[in-house]
Amino acid sequence: EQIERFKENTKLSIVGVGYTVYLGSKYEAIMLQESAQIVYQAHQLGMLAILWMYPRGRSVTDERDAGLIAGAAGVANSLGADFVKVNVPNGVDIQDQAKKLIPVVLAAGNTGVICSGGAKINEANFLQSLTVQVSIAGVAGAAIGRNIFQKNLPESIEFCKKIVMVLKGE
């Protein structure tokens, strides 16, 4: 309801909401309850819902374990999220990481998987990694914050165009 009022007051075109869940944390139960409510309410308002799902907490020994990440993606699907943002699993190289993303995408079902962009890396390496993630695992996208915002505007626009080409398979 707050988002809907904010949309009306600002005339911004808000199409979705997001929420972070730390599976394995002492606040997991609260976060799951809140995320379920947020997803439901977003869908009632015709908006998308994105859940950032991260295994994290005292009982989690490896936040980048492919099995835990797949489980997190499955939880996001169970909650009805349209998209789930996850960290890329550990791997020896980008091919190995992409192969480990396959069960993540499968566990997510009809929830699109978006991979965390991670640390700032050069453009060619980022695009190569994204291409492999899309072609091998079928991820729906990547969160790219610092890899875009730390460039000047013309460079950012060109980089975004290249990312769109990768995501469209061009």
Side-chain angles (χ1 to χ4, degrees):
E1 292 171 352
Q2 290 173 330
I3 297 294
E4 191 64 20
R5 281 196 307 273
F6 183 74
K7 262 177 76 168
E8 290 172 13
N9 292 335
T10 62
K11 305 298 183 219
L12 290 173
S13 178
I14 299 170
V15 298
V17 296
Y19 186 82
T20 301
V21 177
Y22 295 121
L23 294 171
S25 79
K26 66 181 182 178
Y27 302 107
E28 176 184 304
I30 295 167
M31 291 176 170
L32 288 172
Q33 180 181 16
E34 289 177 350
S35 63
Q37 293 170 348
I38 288 168
V39 169
Y40 175 78
Q41 291 172 2
H43 289 165
Q44 292 298 304
L45 295 171
M47 287 192 264
L48 297 171
I50 303 169
L51 295 178
W52 285 254
M53 300 293 283
Y54 302 117
R56 195 165 289 166
R58 196 174 323 151
S59 60
V60 176
T61 57
D62 183 3
E63 295 178 5
R64 293 192 179 257
D65 175 80
L68 292 178
I69 295 169
V75 171
N77 179 263
S78 297
L79 292 168
D82 299 291
F83 293 94
V84 59
K85 180 184 172 206
V86 297
N87 284 321
V88 176
N90 290 323
V92 294
D93 58 25
I94 61 173
Q95 299 282 332
D96 186 46
Q97 290 173 326
K99 288 176 185 170
K100 290 180 178 181
L101 279 168
I102 293 170
V104 175
V105 171
L106 291 173
N110 61 348
T111 298
V113 174
I114 298 172
C115 291
S116 172
K120 187 172 189 280
I121 60 174
N122 77 48
E123 191 174 298
N125 289 346
F126 179 86
L127 291 170
Q128 180 185 19
S129 180
L130 180 59
T131 299
V132 171
Q133 291 170 0
V134 170
S135 64
I136 291 177
V139 301
I144 331 162
R146 70 183 61 87
N147 283 295
I148 291 177
F149 300 124
Q150 292 180 3
K151 297 176 182 288
N152 65 43
L153 184 58
E155 290 173 341
S156 295
I157 291 169
E158 285 307 309
F159 188 36
C160 286
K161 288 178 181 177
K162 292 174 185 176
I163 292 166
V164 168
M165 288 176 62
V166 168
L167 295 173
K168 290 171 106 179
E170 297 176 3

